[in-house]
Amino acid sequence: MSDFSPPISDIRFLIHDVIGLDTVSRLPPFGETSPDLVDAILEEAGKFASSVLAPLNRVGDQEGAKLLADGTVGTPAGWKEAYAQFCEGGWQGISAPESEGGMGLPILLGAAVAEMWQSANMAFALCPMLTSGAIEALTAHGSEQQRKLYLSRLVSGEWTGTMNLTEPQAGSDLSKVRSTAILQEDGTYKVSGQKIFITYGDHEMTENIVHLVLARTPDAPAGVKGISLFIVPKYLVSDNGEIGARNDVTCVSLEHKLGIHASPTAVLQFGDNGGATGYLIGEEGKGLAYMFTMMNNARLAVGQQGVAISERAFQQALEYANTRKQGRDSKTGEEAAIAAHGDVQRMLMRMRSSTEAARALSLYTASQLDLAHHLSDADERAAAQARADLLIPLVKAWSTDLGVENASLGIQVHGGMGFIEETGAAQHLRDARIAPIYEGTNGIQALDFIGRKVLRDQAGALTALLTDIKNTINGVREDNEATELAHACDALDHAISELERSTDIVLERGARNAEMAQVLATPYLRQAALCIAGWLMLRSLQMVKKAGTPEDLGLGKTQSCLFFFGQLLPEADFMAAQVRNCTDPKML
Amino acid sequence: MSDFSPPISDIRFLIHDVIGLDTVSRLPPFGETSPDLVDAILEEAGKFASSVLAPLNRVGDQEGAKLLADGTVGTPAGWKEAYAQFCEGGWQGISAPESEGGMGLPILLGAAVAEMWQSANMAFALCPMLTSGAIEALTAHGSEQQRKLYLSRLVSGEWTGTMNLTEPQAGSDLSKVRSTAILQEDGTYKVSGQKIFITYGDHEMTENIVHLVLARTPDAPAGVKGISLFIVPKYLVSDNGEIGARNDVTCVSLEHKLGIHASPTAVLQFGDNGGATGYLIGEEGKGLAYMFTMMNNARLAVGQQGVAISERAFQQALEYANTRKQGRDSKTGEEAAIAAHGDVQRMLMRMRSSTEAARALSLYTASQLDLAHHLSDADERAAAQARADLLIPLVKAWSTDLGVENASLGIQVHGGMGFIEETGAAQHLRDARIAPIYEGTNGIQALDFIGRKVLRDQAGALTALLTDIKNTINGVREDNEATELAHACDALDHAISELERSTDIVLERGARNAEMAQVLATPYLRQAALCIAGWLMLRSLQMVKKAGTPEDLGLGKTQSCLFFFGQLLPEADFMAAQVRNCTDPKML
């Protein structure tokens, strides 16, 4: 079993030196977010991740969640205790408003910490991730009464939250949701229907579970505009907050999945005995719009799972490569650890460099969400929101694809041992494989990117970002004569020109024909992600070349950045060729 | 559970129209290999694959192989019966010499048939694959007595064979083998030691198992030259072929693996009770050289597993995409199967086109092995052998990497259902993941390619092949005015120029420095594989444009080829950039 060492140095470097803590600490609510506070929180979170969550990762995979004979859902040994410790630490509320009992810290910091939970134990970390979504939905759209009854207990972690969207016939296409909600005389609704793929849909770690459920009211129009959002608690809650009777919702089965075995993926049956009592959030017909308000954070969080599993797989592969002896050093002829062999180094560097690039992109994106919420100027808020909206599908799709690729590489570094389950390397691939699928498949992300984020504003937000990138390149060129930085600037400059060319193609062909946009979307997304992450890698290389960079990052970070420009960024040209060569939407 | 439909049309097209059956049927031993015979065998094999082997694939995954309390190894329900049917069909001996009881058919045909076994049920097909290796070793190096006692029963499938190479400390580096073999007065040896990762190392499907074991004699030199190869039968065999006492070899455990659960991967303990009786094959000290003689076929066979699992995953994904309804057709606005969506089409085409390209490369390579064995002219035999040697690592590494990539894409096409084990899509990824590792990791393949196959002959064999490719391009250009073919020629022409540039870099930097060769090897291999497979895709496109192509291939094959040139071949430029940008061997 591998240990997990929280990547605090790299996270600190990104927050303090690349993104700049002042980017967020100058925002009104975060005046007290000092560098020391940030470091202290990262340390504490890292400790919890490595000492409590990481050791449970393997037992979670082996035992899995189980639907027991009495109809309850059992979590693996140690799960409930770890969850209690998680709540004691106040971690669930790290980025929740102080008014609701949270710590009120920046999303940037919340994201940094969440990545460590996901690295340590993805199946566990899904639970707080889903609760965060419920917190966000209720913070934005819940009534005062709903916030009083449910929100504070979600923020404390006393109860957990779920998202009930998918039905057997309604996956990527939520217009097909059939669950119904019928208004009762007392203002509540009776909710009926079957929801599938409900993460932590049932468990016994907390006394209650707050299900947020998409359902249709009887006279609602067809399609997505007829869908409303309801609170359906597992146990009913009295007006003064006491837990009452069991609501009419049952876990009828758990899925047998490739990975994240410890995360119970439930089929929930609502209303088999007259209807589950549900409480409308906001207004009828706006359910999907409310879901969209929390989608950015959820997609960012899933993207971070890709970063997290890449990090964990990299650490394990590096550890193995440093200890496994095979063959001889091609220079000295001495017996060598496999990490000394060039091809193994290539695999390790590919894992490390792509992980760091994706981490930079995810944390930068988190910082843009803070800006979008708290900048004083409305136009600047809108610009930050547009940038976050632009980047979220890149973080989600690119990072989760990388998660799969890197977990697979991690197995490869282990050779035959990687295929043996006891080694633990295979679990990372099995766990990682869900992330490109849920919270909007990566294909859906690409369509979101090309359609809503590029075509809709005629690449306005993208052009603004590319201007910033070009300014960075020009600034680095003016300040520096170092050959390595010059090469990196040239590589990025070229990649950005190609991205502009692809964008022109997208604007031209995609606008003409929706089918064309669908066919172009995936390579265009990956091209954009590589280029924008390349910007952050250039800023990283620039900072690490300056004095004052933490020693433990110095040389390794330089190598990681140079590997990115020499070996990974050229993939953007491959993606550009795919875009350019897409001239016929009817490919099959 | 998905059905498997043998890809006989594509295989027939490749054998008859692209490779040309006369390439092999003009060789002396294959005069009777008529087109009708080939078609009949493909039909029969396809029927057996789809009706007997494929239905056992899922139960094999679920039940797995088990080490039972009595020390025997149990295979899943139906396995033993299917194996008996396999033997009845004479399939084990398809390419074995008629003098040993085989069918004596070309390796090309044997490979075509083997791909179908692997598609249908990879965990099952491993057993005959390993037996084939033992057949080849004994055919080439066994004494008359050894051939009489063991070979005919391997060819008939009455007994199965295994390869015992790996030990805990000796994986990619076989110089570290420690198992010992001590000569006895009667000329036999006492073999002791532990071997791991032994595929079908034990089972009860046959009365006996013929283990081929690498071990060291007491006075042998250190390193690979001290290793000899021994026959160690599970049960001793009398001189007249009767099965006698149990030999001193026991299966002490089976590995718990990510995939191919039904294939027993054994830890075999030799000699715990005085030494297992072993019979030297050939001469002492030549064990590794003997192993190498069968390595080409074994690596080709593993490469085909990548093709096979890609094909199976593609078929399953296509079936799902054609039936799962989500969203609406972007043109008609009608409810649509997901196969109508551009991004899903992209995934399906990527799977199909890469599978067909890799199949073409593997079958072409098989035909070169036939030429290498049976051409009358010694120089021509040597040239064909050199070409096969050049291509084998490409087939093994590229196809198995594609197997993983395509199985992963297959899951993605299924969305959430892909992550649920019952769907069966996830099994393909779990099974596929071993192929880049065993029979020489893909990193080892890349080193073999760059070192033994390119640097050693100063790219002689590669240059000869590139000349053939350029001749094809020129021929197509002269004969054809079709725009599609012209584009394909241009794309391949460019890719070949870049491959020549990379080869110059390899010859220059790689010769200077062994470390550099290691760092360049993997992208250089993939670049070469894409280019050479592109040649066969150009020939396919050329043939399909001619009259007389089977109707069921026509349009689909054209699209598949065009997708290759527009969307897949450009990856070769990405790989070229990786090679070009490798200027420092010390990357980590």
Side-chain angles (χ1 to χ4, degrees), chain B residues 191-306:
Chain B
V191 176
S192 304
Q194 189 179 76
K195 293 289 181 178
I196 63 171
F197 298 159
I198 308 309
T199 299
Y200 279 89
D202 202 5
H203 61 81
E204 300 285 314
M205 298 195 300
T206 54
E207 280 189 313
N208 206 357
I209 299 173
V210 182
H211 300 298
L212 300 193
V213 183
L214 287 184
R216 221 174 257 293
T217 46
D219 48 354
V224 296
K225 288 183 182 160
I227 298 174
S228 306
L229 183 61
F230 299 88
I231 297 171
V232 183
K234 178 177 172 182
Y235 288 93
L236 296 172
V237 181
S238 73
D239 285 350
N240 55 18
E242 278 160 15
I243 289 184
R246 189 77 152 80
N247 206 347
D248 185 8
V249 47
T250 47
C251 172
V252 293
S253 70
L254 293 184
E255 304 293 353
H256 175 59
K257 307 185 299 292
L258 175 61
I260 52 166
H261 290 162
S263 166
T265 303
V267 177
L268 291 186
Q269 193 71 38
F270 293 86
D272 268 7
N273 297 299
T277 301
Y279 308 92
L280 179 69
I281 296 178
E283 297 171 34
E284 280 191 13
K286 298 205 168 162
L288 216 65
Y290 298 156
M291 279 285 170
F292 266 98
T293 63
M294 74 182 121
M295 217 165 258
N296 265 344
N297 278 12
R299 289 179 171 181
L300 173 63
V302 171
Q304 289 196 287
Q305 293 187 316

Side-chain angles (χ1 to χ4, degrees), chain A residues 32 58 60 78 86 90 133 141 162 171 174 222 285 320 330 337 358 361 363-364 386:
Chain A
E32 288 170 32
R58 176 120 180 87
F86 182 83
H141 308 293
T162 71
L174 287 171
Y320 185 81
S330 55
L361 187 63
L363 293 182
Y364 175 78

Side-chain angles (χ1 to χ4, degrees), chain B residues 68-403:
Chain B
L68 305 173
D70 64 358
T72 63
V73 170
T75 43
W79 231 245
K80 193 168 179 171
E81 295 74 14
Y83 184 78
Q85 280 184 267
F86 182 83
C87 295
E88 275 164 38
W91 293 115
Q92 181 68 63
I94 184 166
S95 296
E98 285 179 280
S99 58
E100 309 292 350
M103 292 192 207
L105 289 165
I107 293 174
L108 171 60
L109 192 55
V113 165
E115 186 205 304
M116 295 196 263
W117 312 145
Q118 300 289 359
S119 269
N121 193 328
M122 181 169 152
F124 179 93
L126 272 164
C127 185
M129 189 183 114
L130 268 291
T131 302
S132 290
I135 289 172
E136 213 185 335
L138 288 175
T139 303
H141 308 293
S143 67
E144 207 183 311
Q145 169 77 343
Q146 287 167 349
R147 294 158 63 129
K148 186 179 74 109
L149 286 185
Y150 301 101
L151 187 52
S152 62
R153 278 138 126 176
L154 289 169
V155 169
S156 67
E158 189 182 344
W159 298 347
T160 65
T162 71
M163 299 290 148
N164 289 247
L165 286 72
T166 306
E167 298 176 10
Q169 78 293 344
S172 294
D173 184 358
L174 288 171
S175 71
K176 295 190 168 191
V177 160
R178 283 189 206 140
S179 290
T180 57
I182 299 173
L183 181 61
Q184 307 297 302
E185 289 189 356
D186 63 357
T188 68
Y189 288 74
K190 287 290 177 206
V191 176
S192 304
Q194 189 179 76
K195 293 289 181 178
I196 63 171
F197 298 159
I198 308 309
T199 299
Y200 279 89
D202 202 5
H203 61 81
E204 300 285 314
M205 298 195 300
T206 54
E207 280 189 313
N208 206 357
I209 299 173
V210 182
H211 300 298
L212 300 193
V213 183
L214 287 184
R216 221 174 257 293
T217 46
D219 48 354
V224 296
K225 288 183 182 160
I227 298 174
S228 306
L229 183 61
F230 299 88
I231 297 171
V232 183
K234 178 177 172 182
Y235 288 93
L236 296 172
V237 181
S238 73
D239 285 350
N240 55 18
E242 278 160 15
I243 289 184
R246 189 77 152 80
N247 206 347
D248 185 8
V249 47
T250 47
C251 172
V252 293
S253 70
L254 293 184
E255 304 293 353
H256 175 59
K257 307 185 299 292
L258 175 61
I260 52 166
H261 290 162
S263 166
T265 303
V267 177
L268 291 186
Q269 193 71 38
F270 293 86
D272 268 7
N273 297 299
T277 301
Y279 308 92
L280 179 69
I281 296 178
E283 297 171 34
E284 280 191 13
K286 298 205 168 162
L288 216 65
Y290 298 156
M291 279 285 170
F292 266 98
T293 63
M294 74 182 121
M295 217 165 258
N296 265 344
N297 278 12
R299 289 179 171 181
L300 173 63
V302 171
Q304 289 196 287
Q305 293 187 316
V307 180
I309 211 94
S310 290
E311 173 69 35
R312 185 80 189 260
F314 167 67
Q315 289 190 16
Q316 184 163 356
L318 181 63
E319 165 73 17
Y320 185 81
N322 279 329
T323 49
R324 170 74 172 169
K325 294 212 188 314
Q326 288 288 277
R328 288 170 186 283
D329 188 292
S330 55
K331 254 191 187 149
T332 64
E334 297 291 302
E335 190 172 65
I338 61 171
H341 300 314
D343 188 64
V344 176
Q345 283 170 28
R346 166 179 289 284
M347 291 191 276
L348 293 170
M349 278 309 292
R350 191 175 145 193
M351 296 175 78
R352 175 177 174 173
S353 180
S354 64
T355 302
E356 292 181 1
R359 173 179 298 128
L361 187 63
S362 72
L363 293 183
Y364 175 77
T365 303
S367 75
Q368 294 300 304
L369 287 171
D370 286 316
L371 297 179
H373 293 159
H374 300 296
L375 278 171
S376 54
D377 182 80
D379 287 346
E380 288 183 14
R381 275 204 308 278
Q385 185 67 51
R387 183 162 293 186
D389 289 344
L390 179 78
L391 296 178
I392 292 282
L394 309 189
V395 172
K396 198 282 179 178
W398 182 54
S399 305
T400 58
D401 280 346
L402 285 178

Side-chain angles (χ1 to χ4, degrees), chain A residues 326 342-343 408 433 518 522, chain B residues 169 326 342-343 408 433 518 522:
Chain A
Q326 288 289 278
D343 187 66
S408 187
R433 195 61 198 76
Q518 288 191 0
T522 286
Chain B
Q169 78 293 344
Q326 288 288 277
D343 188 64
S408 186
R433 195 61 197 77
Q518 288 191 358
T522 285

